[in-house]
Each structure stands twice: as C-alpha cells, then as structure tokens.
Amino acid sequence: MSDAQAPGPGELLGTPLRLGPLRLRNRFAAAPMERNYCSVSGSVTEEYVAYLAARAAGGAALVHTEAGYVRADGKGRPRQLALDDDRHIPGLRALADAVHAHGAHLGMELNHGGRTARRAVTGHRPVAPSPVPCAVTGGEVPDELDNAGIRALVRAYGDAARRCREAGADAMTIHGGHGYLVHQFLSRATNHRTDEFADPTLFLRLVMDAVLGAAGPDQAVGLRISAHEGHAGGLTADETFELMKSIPLGRLHYLDISAGSYEAGEWIVQPGEWQSAILASHAERYRRAFRIPVGVAGRINTARAAAHVLDSGQADFLSLARALHADAGFPGHVLSGSPYRPCIACNACIDELHQGHPIGCSVNPDVPPTLSHDASNAVRDCLRVLVVGAGPAGMETARLLAGAGHHVEVVEADQRTGGAFRLAAGLGQNPEYGRFLTWMEAELARSGVRVSAGTPLDATALALRQDDAVVLATGARGHIPPAPHPADAGRRRVMQVRDWLASGERTDCCVVWGADRDGVATADHLARTGTKLLLIRRTRPGCRTPCQDPCRATAGE
C-alpha cells in the first residue's frame, strides 16, 4: 500500500479484517462477558437474544456470547450459558440468527471452571489438574483429574464446539485465561502433576485439536489467554509468552489478549484508576511474534484509546465488554464521530454478577433488557413536563421524555447538575465519573431540555406552575446511626458521606462506618491523603455472622 492509500489516524477502526474464513466489517468485537441473563438451566432467554442483537445493531463486527460451560461440573454461576447438551442448540441458534440479522458474526466462548466451580452451583465436586483449592470461590478442594478424566474433558470441548457449529456460530474461542481449567493446566501455581500432563501445554493442545476438528470450514477458531496471572506465584508475562511460543498458534485464526486470574480479579475487570488500553503492550508482543490476528481487551472505553491501539500496531481488533454494556452503539458512534454514552469503569456490573443478579449498568438504563423502558410508548400527547432534580436519574428521565417529543424542563437546587453523583466523582476511585456527566449535559442541550440550576423549588412554587406532569427525582437521604458512645458526642462528629463530600472538609483521623462500595471508596480517598482511619463493616469478609470486633482496613489492604 502506498503512503497515499495508507489509512489516516483512526481509519483502521472501520476497515475490514480477515479472521480465517470470516471477514469482519470493522475492528470492534463484543468480548465474552457474563451477564446472568440465562435461565438457571443455562438456556438462552429472550432478554439474552435482545441484548446480543442490540450489540450487533450497534455496529460490532463480532459479537461473543459469554463463556459457556462445556460440561456440567464446569459451570461457574447459576445463570451461566450452557454448551453441554444438544437441547441448548435451538436457543443458541436464536442468538446466531439475531446477530446475523444485523450483519455481525456470532462468537461463542468454550470454557470449564475447573477449581473455580462450586458444588453448590453444579451439584458436582469440582475437578482440576491438581487438588489446589480456590479460596476466592469458597476454598473447596477439587478432585485431581486422572488421565481418562482429562481426555473425557477434551471430548467435552469438542462436543461443545460441534453444538456451536450446528447452532450457526461463526467463531469459537477457547478460554485459556482468567484462572479457568485450561489456564490451570498452564500455570505452575495450579498444575503440580508429575505425569504427561505436567507438560503445561498438553491439555490446551488437545483441546485445540478437538475444537478445530469439530469446527467446519466456515468457522474461525481462536484462543483467549491471560498475558499474566497478576499474583505472586502465578505466571508472569514472560513465562506466559514462552509457553505460547511452544504451542502451534498458527493453526488458529486469532488470539485474544486479556489478563488476570481469580486471585487477581482486578486484572480481569480493571478499575477506573488504571490507564486505558492497559494491556495493549502485551498484545503488541504477540502480534509481532505470531502470524495471526491479535485482539486485546482492557479498559478500551474511548474513541481515542481505540484508535491508538490500532494505529500504533499493538493489535488488529478490539475486544470490548463494559464499553458496549454502557452503550450498545459504541462502535457505530465512534466510526461516525458522534457522541457515545461512556463506560465509567465503576464495576457495578461485576458486583451484580457476583451477587447472582442480571447485571445492570450505572449509566445505561436499557440493561438488563427486561428493565428497559420506551418513554415514547408512555404518553402519546405532547406534554409540558417538569423534572425536579438534576442527578443522573432526573437527567436521564428528561432525556428520554424529550426524545419522545415532550417539552421538558429540569430544575436543580444546587448550582450544578449531577447531584450526589457529582460528589462521588471527586473520589480518587472514580476518575471517569465526570465523563458521564459531561455526556449527559450535552445530551440535554442537544435534546432541547431547559435546565435551571440554582433553583430551589418548594410546594408553593410548584403549585404556581402550569406543568402537565411533574417528575420528582430528588434522590434519597442516607441514614445516620447514633454515635457509638453518646458520652463522647461533644467531640465526635457523625456525617453522612455526601454531606462530608459537599463540605470539602479534611481530617487527620476518621471512622468510616459501612464497607459497601461508597464506604470503601471513601476510605480509599481518605487513606490517599494520609488520614488515619478505621473502616467498619457488619461482618468480616467471608463471614456469615456479625463480628464482635470491627474490621480494620488501611490503604492497600
């Protein structure tokens, strides 16, 4: 290609890419992301179909399901996608049809939880290369697989791949990272065997044989790996790279780079404080060494970061999860240069996943799909609507109503919009929160919503207005418990966290009462400024009964 034909900055995002037999229309892939949208039997639901269809309609070229379990004893969560039985093929076919209807390819990820699975979920004792328990999931000691058991699992991967092919999947990704079964064979931390499977790559090579054998000429087969495990005793980046050099990756059609394991979950789902595209340098190393397309995950949530990864030659395509959860149309918006709803890396989605709930999103009310609401169907007539309160709920309500054709005004008592969310944006753990407020304010302006900040409104003033409808979105107040030692009340101050944030006060010594997301973020922020603090929660991590003594936390613990 001549210099005149070379793509300009960011233009690679919209160029096609060949993954074996597949031709992707652009460089955006919806990464495998667990969502708790399946039934408890692992079957596909209408909500799951709608969710993937929206990501395909939003412009992604390759839309992955979550990691599906290839055998029942490898199921990690009660509502995880099942690939272990032919009865699931019709549901998987519905996913393929929905994604294909929007011009995208469907990918399915094949997985087994190994030591991370739990008998309480699967009904089976977990199995693994070696009897190394996973404390993160409860510490149940897995049974060590014998040679026959390992080869039976290899066949389970092949059978799952055949089901994916029959369901119409276009790509099959072997999950070789994040501390799951394939990764457990690769890692010296979890593979203590002395037989032939002491070779850390043997199991993966056999699984590759099985999946490639089950795939047809129209299916691409790839591998997802963790560039490093991220914890002491786990595989380093150099060790992982050396292992991959001994595997015939040229037989595959693509490689997808992630990071982390259950002992280092922050590398699987990175926090907002970490830099964008944090894993891109790892992907570049593989792209230079192997002659197959390489994708990369890891906090790619802006158009600038996405373009830079491709323009700098660090990867061939982008594996996006939370960015597409926040805005299904992210690829299309980026390619057209239009605004998109930003992922703020708050990780509320992963919290809900661990709690077993269908995951929502702090900034996107359209997920889960069952909770979405089309304001255009609520009222047919054009109304004058007053929204009281300009926090995220009030602003989103105003945006939806304006989009449905209503005349909307928002009034806010504070001098700025955002409410308690803007206060939370000042915490060190939340550096991305301001991006959402900036986007929302621009959306209100674009939609013609009138915003009146610094405008307190009481019942008398409200009664004088001529609005057709009023929406109260003034939020709720937190509960302030009584001070533990009333006798000391004269020298103790108890404040609700939002009042403390609004005051701008700093302190040398503080007790944070409550270790939920807000409490931990507040404690972290205080610790960064050198405050001596005590973080109290009702129970110790992992405990089911109240503690007799408060738990203590310091920065970094």
Side-chain angles (χ1 to χ4, degrees):
M1 179 179 291
S2 68
D3 291 341
Q5 296 173 315
E11 292 181 4
L12 277 172
L13 290 167
T15 61
L17 176 68
R18 178 68 63 177
L19 299 185
L22 305 184
R23 181 180 184 273
L24 304 189
R25 60 187 176 187
N26 57 49
R27 304 301 180 92
F28 293 99
M33 178 179 179
E34 290 189 61
R35 308 170 182 96
N36 284 333
Y37 292 171
C38 289
S39 70
V40 292
S41 67
S43 299
V44 172
T45 61
E46 292 182 3
E47 291 78 16
Y48 204 126
V49 174
Y51 182 93
L52 291 195
R55 273 71 205 157
L62 175 62
V63 178
H64 267 95
T65 65
E66 66 193 72
Y69 57 92
V70 302
R71 203 171 74 177
D73 58 355
K75 180 179 182 179
R77 305 189 194 281
R79 295 183 179 274
Q80 187 177 356
L81 180 68
L83 304 176
D84 67 328
D85 193 283
D86 286 3
R87 63 190 170 92
H88 297 298
I89 293 176
L92 299 174
R93 166 64 71 175
L95 288 177
D97 290 345
V99 168
H100 293 160
H102 295 286
H105 296 294
L106 178 71
M108 294 185 182
E109 187 174 52
L110 284 60
N111 191 38
H112 187 287
R115 66 190 279 264
T116 69
R118 294 170 292 154
R119 186 177 354 208
V121 172
T122 67
H124 305 276
R125 185 165 175 170
V127 296
S130 300
V132 179
C134 180
V136 178
T137 60
E140 188 172 359
V141 178
D143 285 336
E144 180 172 302
L145 287 159
D146 59 18
N147 192 289
I150 292 173
R151 295 184 184 277
L153 269 168
V154 170
R155 291 192 295 273
Y157 275 88
D159 290 341
R162 186 261 304 165
R163 295 181 189 106
C164 293
R165 185 196 72 228
E166 293 179 2
D170 305 291
M172 304 174 203
T173 301
I174 300 166
H175 201 334
H178 295 176
Y180 295 119
L181 184 63
V182 172
H183 202 187
Q184 291 162 30
F185 275 95
L186 291 171
S187 175
R188 53 187 164 78
T190 46
N191 184 349
H192 301 164
R193 302 180 72 95
T194 58
D195 63 359
E196 63 179 321
F197 287 98
D199 175 351
T201 68
L202 177 56
F203 182 69
L204 173 55
R205 287 185 278 117
L206 293 175
V207 169
M208 286 172 52
D209 290 342
V211 174
L212 286 164
D218 298 328
Q219 279 80 44
V221 176
L223 172 66
R224 182 169 236 208
I225 66 168
S226 288
H228 59 78
E229 288 197 76
H231 65 89
L235 291 172
T236 65
D238 288 341
E239 289 170 334
T240 302
F241 185 73
E242 289 302 314
L243 285 175
M244 291 300 110
K245 285 168 62 176
S246 65
I247 295 172
L249 295 181
R251 301 180 60 202
L252 300 173
H253 300 115
Y254 59 93
L255 186 64
D256 194 17
I257 305 299
S258 184
S261 65
Y262 268 52
E263 285 73 19
E266 68 276 13
W267 280 105
I268 301 175
V269 185
Q270 301 85 10
E273 303 101 304
W274 292 11
Q275 69 185 63
S276 296
I278 192 169
L279 302 179
S281 61
H282 293 290
E284 182 178 15
R285 184 180 192 180
Y286 286 90
R287 187 172 185 262
R288 293 184 182 279
F290 302 103
R291 295 182 178 274
I292 57 174
V294 173
V296 67
R299 276 198 29 83
I300 304 172
N301 63 344
T302 67
R304 176 177 295 181
H308 177 72
V309 170
L310 298 187
D311 292 343
S312 62
Q314 294 176 298
D316 298 288
F317 65 94
L318 310 170
S319 289
L320 309 179
R322 289 173 291 171
L324 297 188
H325 191 62
D327 191 336
F330 179 83
H333 293 315
V334 170
L335 293 175
S336 66
S338 57
Y340 51 85
R341 186 192 301 265
C343 168
I344 59 174
C346 66
N347 287 349
C349 51
I350 198 69
D351 285 352
E352 291 189 329
L353 179 73
H354 293 325
Q355 294 168 15
H357 304 151
I359 65 171
C361 178
S362 293
V363 301
N364 184 1
D366 291 331
V367 292
T370 52
L371 298 182
S372 63
H373 177 63
D374 184 356
S376 65
N377 291 328
V379 179
R380 296 296 181 183
D381 298 329
C382 178
L383 303 177
R384 296 181 61 85
V385 183
L386 174 68
V387 177
V388 183
M395 290 193 288
E396 178 66 15
T397 299
R399 188 187 72 86
L400 291 172
L401 289 169
H406 303 296
H407 298 292
V408 186
E409 180 182 358
V410 178
V411 295
E412 168 59 49
D414 291 339
Q415 296 300 317
R416 299 188 68 185
T417 62
F421 194 87
R422 185 175 293 281
L423 295 175
L427 293 173
Q429 283 193 2
N430 305 331
E432 300 267 14
Y433 280 31
R435 294 180 58 219
F436 172 69
L437 294 175
T438 298
W439 175 82
M440 182 60 80
E441 289 170 341
E443 283 292 291
L444 294 185
R446 182 187 61 80
S447 302
V449 174
R450 180 184 173 187
V451 179
S452 301
T455 308
L457 193 66
D458 58 18
T460 301
L462 187 61
L464 296 175
R465 294 182 59 98
Q466 302 297 313
D467 304 297
D468 298 309
V470 177
V471 177
L472 293 179
T474 52
R477 298 296 299 172
H479 169 65
I480 299 180
H485 303 289
D488 296 335
R491 61 185 180 86
R492 293 177 182 269
R493 293 186 62 203
V494 181
M495 300 178 69
Q496 209 274 338
V497 64
R498 71 181 64 185
D499 294 329
W500 172 74
L501 289 169
S503 72
E505 292 184 19
R506 294 295 177 262
T507 180
D508 295 328
C509 183
C510 181
V511 173
V512 177
W513 198 340
D516 59 3
R517 172 178 293 277
D518 294 338
V520 171
T522 301
D524 173 79
H525 190 82
L526 284 163
R528 295 181 190 210
T529 62
T531 299
K532 182 180 179 181
L533 65 95
L534 175 69
L535 176 63
I536 300 178
R537 55 178 291 161
R538 288 185 181 275
T539 60
R540 295 186 189 276
C543 293
R544 297 184 179 179
T545 57
C547 292
Q548 298 301 313
D549 299 312
C551 296
R552 297 175 181 271
T554 59
E557 287 190 7

